[in-house]
Amino acid sequence: MARLKVIVPIALLIVLGLLYGALQSGVSAVLVMLCVPFALTGGIFALWFTGIALSVSAAVSFIALLGQVSLAGLLVVSAIDRLRGEGVGALRAVIDTPPPASARC
C-alpha cells in the first residue's frame, strides 16, 4: 500500500500528460480527468457495499478503471473538439456528440 501511495499520483500525472499530448489542450485534458472521481465513486461504493477492504488488487483495478475512463473521456472530448473545429457551437457540439460505444448499454 505504501508503494501505491507513490504509484497512483505518478499514474495520474502520466495519464494527464498523455491526454495533453493527444488533445493538445490543457483544458480538454483536465476535463477528461474530471470524469475520474465520478467513476471511482462507483468502485468505492461497491467496496463499501460488499464490505471488502481496499486491497492491492482493488487498487490496481482502480488504476485500470482510470485508463478506461480516460479513454472514454478522450473519445468524447475529441469528438466535441472536432465538431467545434467545423464551426458548430459549443452547446450543439455537446448535444450532438454520442457517447462512446463502451459507455452504451
Side-chain angles (χ1 to χ4, degrees):
M1 292 304 271
R3 287 183 186 166
L4 286 175
K5 288 181 182 178
V6 174
I7 292 173
V8 170
I10 291 172
L12 288 170
L13 287 174
I14 290 172
V15 168
L16 185 63
L18 290 171
L19 286 171
Y20 178 78
L23 295 169
Q24 298 299 313
S25 169
V27 174
S28 295
V30 170
L31 282 174
V32 171
M33 291 300 288
L34 286 175
C35 299
V36 172
F38 297 106
L40 296 181
T41 301
I44 292 169
F45 176 74
L47 287 176
W48 172 79
F49 184 73
T50 57
I52 298 173
L54 181 65
S55 62
V56 173
S57 62
V60 170
S61 298
F62 279 116
I63 293 172
L65 179 62
L66 167 69
Q68 293 297 316
V69 169
S70 299
L71 176 62
L74 174 67
L75 292 173
V76 171
V77 170
S78 62
I80 290 170
D81 287 346
R82 181 183 48 80
L83 288 174
R84 300 267 332 262
E86 294 173 0
V88 177
L91 181 61
R92 187 83 258 163
V94 170
I95 291 171
D96 290 346
T97 301
S102 61
R104 295 185 195 141
C105 295

